[in-house]
Amino acid sequence: MCTRVFVLATMCFLFLVLQVRGQAPLDHLLSHSEKEIEEKDPAAILEIGAATSWNVTGGAATFAPSFGVETTPIENWLELEAGVSSFFTRSSTEWDTDLLFKKPWTISRKAEFMLGVGPEWVCMKQNGKTINSVAGEIAGDFMFWPAHRHRFGWFLEPAYDYSFARGHQQSMGIGAGLLIAIH
């Protein structure tokens, strides 16, 4: 059940992002330099990688594959990122889905930093029992683009999560992986 909801939420987000992003201004209203900039900006950036998370109050570290997509609705002011990670242990499965609102800063032509905050939905299945909860997340996102054209790169994203469920679990984590720009 949780898997279907996560896939559906991700697909809806992709549909909405690509639909809105595809509505560009008319070409005759843009200057030549603005057309070049518009062509260089990707419609979305895929993040494919791995994540690890540690419970602040104790417990073992867990590792997970992670997938995310981000887009820039307001240049230099707002980036939206939706991500999914699935943590597996012998006795439990946890799916984390987040939506982060990020403020970007360009460090250089090949490096960017973003600070984001947003809600997170956690679906945990442990001992045959499914528990859904809401959490808050704050994350820093370092993006590195080795080539001048931003087609492929890599990211490093440290994060802190605070659960609003009973017990108020807190965790620290870090994700890393590959960036793929979709034009």
Side-chain angles (χ1 to χ4, degrees):
M1 172 75 175
C2 289
T3 306
R4 290 182 189 149
V5 171
F6 288 112
V7 170
L8 181 61
T10 303
M11 296 305 288
C12 288
F13 179 77
L14 283 172
F15 175 76
L16 291 173
V17 167
L18 296 178
Q19 186 77 357
V20 171
R21 186 69 175 172
Q23 298 173 354
L26 298 174
D27 285 340
H28 68 279
L29 298 176
L30 295 175
S31 69
H32 181 67
S33 63
E34 288 175 328
K35 286 180 188 177
E36 290 175 5
I37 292 172
E38 186 67 30
E39 290 174 9
K40 290 181 183 178
D41 287 343
I45 299 173
L46 295 179
E47 296 181 352
I48 301 169
T52 184
S53 180
W54 303 276
N55 188 335
V56 174
T57 58
T62 56
F63 299 93
S66 65
F67 173 78
V69 63
E70 72 177 47
T71 188
T72 306
I74 304 172
E75 191 70 34
N76 297 323
W77 281 100
L78 177 64
E79 295 211 7
L80 297 175
E81 177 186 318
V84 176
S85 297
S86 55
F87 296 93
F88 300 101
T89 64
R90 280 194 277 177
S91 61
S92 68
T93 302
E94 179 179 324
W95 287 84
D96 295 351
T97 302
D98 60 13
L99 176 63
L100 295 176
F101 299 87
K102 296 181 175 181
K103 167 64 175 130
W105 289 276
T106 301
I107 298 170
S108 70
R109 285 188 287 175
K110 296 184 177 185
E112 300 173 38
F113 173 74
M114 290 174 250
L115 184 62
V117 65
E120 180 178 31
W121 176 41
V122 179
C123 180
M124 180 182 284
K125 192 171 195 177
Q126 187 172 24
N127 300 327
K129 185 178 178 183
T130 302
I131 301 168
N132 291 301
S133 63
V134 176
E137 180 177 7
I138 184 166
D141 190 0
F142 297 93
M143 300 173 84
F144 303 97
W145 303 94
H148 180 65
R149 296 181 70 185
H150 292 183
R151 287 186 168 174
F152 297 99
W154 61 278
F155 70 94
L156 185 65
E157 186 173 296
Y160 170 77
D161 300 334
Y162 182 86
S163 175
F164 298 115
R166 183 183 305 174
H168 301 288
Q169 179 179 328
Q170 300 174 49
S171 61
M172 301 284 293
I174 191 162
L178 179 66
L179 297 170
I180 303 169
I182 298 175
H183 291 275

